[in-house]
Amino acid sequence: MTKKEKGRLVVQRLKECYPASCSLVAEKDYELLFATRLSAQCTDARVNKVTEVLFAKYPTLQALADAEEDDIAEIIKPCGLFRTKAHDIKLGAVKLVTDFGGKVPDSMEELLSIPGVGRKTANLILSDIYGHPAVVADTHCMRIAGKLGLTTGGRDPLKVETELSKLIDPAEQAPLCHRFVHFGRDVCTARAPKCEVCPLSDLCAERAKALKKKKDA
């Protein structure tokens, strides 16, 4: 079986089990941008609780741009790395207002010019806001794609993104990444994967290696 063939099967099976939905709650383009920034080393559930308070206090992009950085930091403190994230949110809001007319841009180059925005965040915006094909190489995506044997990039987001973009149909790239998140929390967890109920167990390169090692022992 080629990697492309395996990729198609992975897409098909996860499509039957999980929705292609983002776990972060956001109503506006900049809300998704900043929620994704807050999600670094933090759970989406906690981010959603924090952004509910943050966006209620600062209901517009201009309000966030005018906010005191320390006030933003105090609200987002539960997300960790709060001072760095508050700095990025403040500067990001100012840049969106001054350089982009209050709208989140739709190109990788422009998105990467915003403080705190990396390729993962940019690809999420390009796919979820603008509908472009994009691989969101977050921790779930990198870990699961590697275990399945679809990628060899390990924890290198750009390498994983590049490898998956060659294997997965453009229309399925972003949806698959969302499904990887749901799958990674539900079955293929980092600490205790539930291989016995995994819909991809027969496709998993890591499991195949483990079974072979056990057989040869």
Side-chain angles (χ1 to χ4, degrees):
M1 181 186 300
T2 66
K3 286 187 177 182
K4 273 197 173 185
E5 290 171 336
K6 181 185 284 191
R8 292 192 195 99
L9 285 175
V10 169
V11 167
Q12 179 184 332
R13 293 187 191 178
L14 290 186
K15 187 182 291 188
E16 295 172 356
C17 301
Y18 301 100
S21 59
C22 181
S23 300
L24 295 170
V25 176
E27 296 181 358
K28 304 170 184 176
D29 55 2
Y30 71 84
E31 290 182 354
L32 181 59
L33 184 79
F34 295 142
T36 307
R37 178 66 187 96
L38 289 173
S39 70
Q41 298 184 38
C42 183
T43 65
D44 289 355
R46 179 169 294 178
V47 170
N48 288 336
K49 290 180 181 178
V50 167
T51 53
E52 183 177 4
V53 177
L54 180 67
F55 297 143
K57 183 170 183 179
Y58 303 108
T60 66
L61 184 59
Q62 187 64 59
L64 269 175
D66 293 338
E68 293 293 329
E69 194 173 305
D70 286 345
D71 292 338
I72 296 175
E74 187 61 31
I75 294 173
I76 68 172
K77 201 170 185 177
C79 290
L81 304 173
F82 61 96
R83 296 201 181 280
T84 299
K85 292 177 180 179
H87 184 68
D88 288 342
I89 290 172
K90 165 72 176 182
L91 292 185
V94 170
K95 187 172 183 65
L96 288 175
V97 170
T98 57
D99 293 0
F100 299 112
K103 187 173 179 61
V104 175
D106 64 351
S107 75
M108 176 64 74
E109 182 180 3
E110 290 175 317
L111 285 165
L112 292 179
S113 73
I114 300 170
V117 174
R119 291 190 66 87
K120 182 192 82 170
T121 300
N123 277 321
L124 182 64
I125 293 298
L126 291 174
S127 60
D128 281 31
I129 299 297
Y130 293 107
H132 299 321
V135 173
V136 183
D138 62 7
T139 55
H140 290 286
C141 176
M142 290 188 288
R143 177 172 56 82
I144 296 168
K147 290 181 71 170
L148 290 170
L150 292 174
T151 60
T152 59
R155 297 182 65 82
D156 183 332
L158 181 55
K159 189 171 182 180
V160 171
E161 176 190 333
T162 301
E163 289 181 289
L164 280 181
S165 67
K166 294 176 181 178
L167 299 178
I168 306 302
D169 183 88
E172 298 292 351
Q173 290 173 6
L176 176 62
C177 293
H178 284 312
R179 293 187 174 103
F180 273 154
V181 173
H182 295 296
F183 175 60
R185 291 172 179 163
D186 182 38
V187 175
C188 193
T189 59
R191 294 185 179 180
K194 304 170 185 174
C195 300
E196 67 281 1
V197 297
C198 177
L200 305 178
S201 60
D202 61 315
L203 302 175
C204 182
E206 185 172 292
R207 180 168 171 77
K209 288 179 183 178
L211 291 175
K212 184 178 185 303
K213 185 177 180 180
K214 185 178 180 180
K215 182 180 179 181
D216 294 341

